[in-house]
Amino acid sequence: MAKFGLSQSVRRVEDPRLLTGRGRYTDDISMPGQAFGVVLRSPHAHARIESLDVAAAKATPGVLAVITGADMKAAGLGELPCMIPLKSRDGTPRTNTPRLALATDTVRHVGDPVAFVVGETLQAARDGAEAIMAEYEVLPASTDLATAHEAGAALVWPEAKSNICFDWEAGDKAKTDAAFARAAHVTRLTVVNNRVVVASMEARAAVAAWEGDRLTLHTNTQGSWQVRNMLADIVLKIPQEKIHVLTPDVGGGFGMKLFLYAEHVMVAFAAKQVGRPVKWASERTEAFLSDTHGRDNITLGELAVDANGKFLALRTKNWANMGAYLSNYAPFIPTGAGTKVLASVYGFEAIHANVLGVLTNTVPVDAYRGAGRPESNYLVERLIDTAARELKIDRVEIRKRNMVPQSAMPYVSAMGQRYDSGDFAQLLDAALKKMDWAGFEARRADAAKRGRKRGIGMAYYLEATGGGPTENAKVVFAEDGMVDVYVGTQSTGQGHETAYAMLTSHELGIPIDKIRVKQGDSETLPDGGGTGGARSLYSEGQAILVTTASVIEKGKQAAAENLEAAIGDIEFVAKDGRFGVVGTDRGIGILDLAAAQRKRVAAGQSAIILDTMETAKIDSHTFPNGCHMAEVEVDAETGVVTVPRYIVVDDVGHALNPLIVRGQVHGGVAQGVGQALMERTAYDQGSGQLLSASFMDYALPRAEDLPDIDVDLIEVTCETNPLGVKGAGEAGAVGSPPAVINALVDALGGKVVDMPATPESVWKALRAA
């Protein structure tokens, strides 16, 4: 394969391997002597465990061990952690929800793990699980976010009064209240951001094995180091170097695979108990009941507007469902992550946000693609459309009137975020032209002739990427002539192998087909920030830049040795991948130089090796933004909504590989359209059963449900990192739900509908109108 420059649409180098069945996922891993684990899960949403008789299970042929919460407690295992030490606005700490990997006395949602059965075969483990005699005292449950915090609701945890585990605020309340006091108009709207099941193509799995006092854990994560650190420091209470986490290929994560799960603890503990490797792999319904869910907010938004249609202030109150337990980062998602983008691209004078974390007898909720930012953008864009309708101001005009101009950059938002760059009006104008917004009424009239109600909607979004303050990379010139690039992030389908190889090739002049990207091994780097918050390219990219720069400096010293020249006379020409003596034709390619230096070392000579590891400081995050526009058609007889047109104009900064960026946006839009129109996570309010616990009842969008998604990229270079990139992994999921629902509201003549706008709910809205 040739050397490719940056900004080219290079096809993904990992795809031939993955598409021809040569990918290696966690469930493909089997170890010698491996046993199999099955989790016995609670059939009740809330119950006290009266007895747990495992005698028959232990006597089942082929069963090696039956592990309970009491066993883990006796062994001194720590609890699954919540890593966010949040405080309420009165200064009190958030409620704690202590959780062992297996329940000991109380279960708090359907699917809560109760016992772990290990068998010689998977069937033996299943038979053993069925033989366990569990007796429960069923307790009242609260599964509905809208009512769980009301007086008289059943308490999930007695320590959390009214099921509120934190009452948090951000922004300037006094300034916000003052702006509302002088507003000419106030728009109020309550929106539902529906709970979604992540449903990654590959379900979770884990394989654990001990060798002496050292644990090896194969599992599908979004960052091996985070799982290792929590498992070592908090649960197993052993040194981090005693745990080796290996993440192979991962088939989708979307935030859900960031976390330390109960099953990681179960396989590690069980493998120690039986003295053999133990494997667990989730089935699909099990995934619905045990993977963290996403979203699930009910938010009241208030928008203060002056007599000229200028936004003064925004006030929000958000009830955020946490589920039955606080997952690793759950409290941060609706608070620190979500509220930072409430100002979006608009010049609010002040904002005040109040977030209440609500505990319910449901599966825990944590980060899902966008992690709080889609929820905030959805509220703001729905509020703006509502205000435009109430004030009889054109939807485009009211946005343009309030957008922060490019001339104001860098700009500090009402939520204290410093936007380094952005040309929001340019992107909006480009989207209007691309969509032919001005010609829409002709398309509406044509739809009416066909008996369809057609609507058009827009949403301008702003994202804020996230992640840790450092990232690592290592470049190793291997014996086989290849160059291995070790990274601290984790691809779950994004195309990292291609992007990182392109960047390394550009800096070192090495052909892409000579570069291997290595990820997921917690022993190859001292630490890694993992993948989440659309951080990978701007974080790992910076780490690759500083590492390749060090390689070049080492290479100059090595070339000086090899070419018998002064270091000051050595230059490196990246496009050729070659070190040379200035003013002469003498030189050596970087791959030949690396091989020559290795030979000198092998022969016992002193020589500088080009292999290098560096750590990059990540001083600033980025603010991708863009405009989504959708057209929908509604069948008034059935309530069925279709999306015949969808366009996106995005600013992701410098697009290293536009083909990959467009693919990321397509996937995010698909998830957003699914949430807006189809994906309903339904709990029975009486029993607490998850009614939509399989693909028979939970509707994911299929290809026929999605239009062609037309994406244009307008590059407004980011000023806070040397690559000029802004992050693209979450953008599609941020802008799509409000664009689709705004279009639907337009089609329905202003009738408000909540997500998911299923045919039933749309049909009811039409009949009510």
Side-chain angles (χ1 to χ4, degrees), residues 26 29 31 205-210 214-221 224 227-228 231-232 236 242-248 259-261 263-269 271 278-280 520-522:
T26 304
I29 295 169
M31 304 181 75
V207 187
W210 290 84
R214 182 173 166 77
L215 170 67
T216 298
L217 176 67
H218 298 267
T219 186
N220 40 11
T221 77
S224 295
V227 170
R228 178 201 67 184
L231 184 59
L236 298 183
K242 296 293 187 181
I243 299 181
H244 184 194
V245 177
L246 291 157
T247 300
F259 315 121
L260 177 68
Y261 280 94
E263 293 83 7
H264 294 139
V265 180
M266 292 180 211
V267 293
F269 186 75
V278 174
K279 179 178 184 176
W280 168 83
D521 185 337
S522 68

Side-chain angles (χ1 to χ4, degrees), residues 21-233:
R22 289 178 287 134
R24 187 170 185 255
Y25 299 88
T26 304
D27 200 26
D28 294 325
I29 295 169
S30 292
M31 304 181 75
Q34 173 181 284
F36 298 85
V38 167
V39 184
L40 176 70
R41 300 185 182 275
S42 168
H44 304 294
H46 197 195
R48 188 171 292 108
I49 302 173
E50 293 190 323
S51 66
L52 197 62
D53 187 347
V54 299
K58 288 182 175 179
T60 301
V63 168
L64 301 173
V66 179
I67 296 164
T68 66
D71 298 323
M72 290 186 170
K73 194 171 185 178
L77 265 61
E79 298 160 355
L80 296 175
C82 174
M83 304 298 288
I84 307 300
L86 199 72
K87 287 189 176 181
S88 291
R89 52 183 172 167
D90 64 1
T92 58
R94 61 160 175 78
T95 301
N96 195 29
T97 58
R99 181 190 187 192
L100 280 175
L102 292 168
T104 54
D105 55 8
T106 304
V107 290
R108 289 182 167 86
H109 69 88
V110 173
D112 213 351
V114 174
F116 190 62
V117 181
V118 183
E120 292 277 3
T121 65
L122 182 58
Q123 188 58 52
R126 286 174 176 159
D127 291 344
E130 289 182 5
I132 294 174
M133 300 297 292
E135 297 290 338
Y136 299 93
E137 177 194 352
V138 178
L139 303 172
S142 292
T143 57
D144 178 36
L145 173 61
T147 59
H149 53 87
E150 293 180 350
L155 295 181
V156 182
W157 291 87
E159 298 86 351
K161 304 305 179 187
S162 300
N163 287 317
I164 302 297
C165 58
F166 58 82
D167 181 352
W168 180 91
E169 67 179 348
D172 190 327
K173 186 177 188 302
K175 191 174 180 180
T176 301
D177 290 346
F180 270 86
R182 60 184 171 87
H185 178 85
V186 174
T187 290
R188 293 179 176 86
L189 182 68
T190 298
V191 299
V192 174
N193 217 286
N194 47 312
R195 176 184 285 241
V196 293
V197 172
V198 178
S200 58
M201 187 176 292
E202 178 209 22
R204 289 188 300 112
V207 187
W210 290 84
E211 187 172 343
D213 62 352
R214 182 173 166 77
L215 170 67
T216 298
L217 176 67
H218 298 267
T219 186
N220 40 11
T221 77
Q222 289 178 227
S224 295
W225 292 266
Q226 295 179 62
V227 170
R228 178 201 67 184
N229 295 350
M230 286 188 279
L231 184 59
D233 297 346

Side-chain angles (χ1 to χ4, degrees), residues 723-734:
L723 288 168
V725 299
K726 293 185 179 178
E730 298 175 331
V734 180

Side-chain angles (χ1 to χ4, degrees), residues 264-292:
H264 294 139
V265 180
M266 292 180 211
V267 293
F269 186 75
K272 190 78 166 178
Q273 298 299 302
V274 301
R276 294 166 56 172
V278 174
K279 179 178 184 176
W280 168 83
S282 175
E283 297 182 350
R284 184 56 66 179
T285 289
E286 189 174 22
F288 275 70
L289 296 173
S290 62
D291 297 349
T292 56

Side-chain angles (χ1 to χ4, degrees), residues 498-521:
T498 304
Y500 297 157
M502 288 177 67
L503 184 55
T504 305
S505 174
H506 181 267
E507 296 301 308
L508 298 181
I510 299 167
I512 285 182
D513 59 358
K514 289 289 186 182
I515 298 170
R516 293 181 297 223
V517 174
K518 303 278 191 174
Q519 59 184 356
D521 185 337

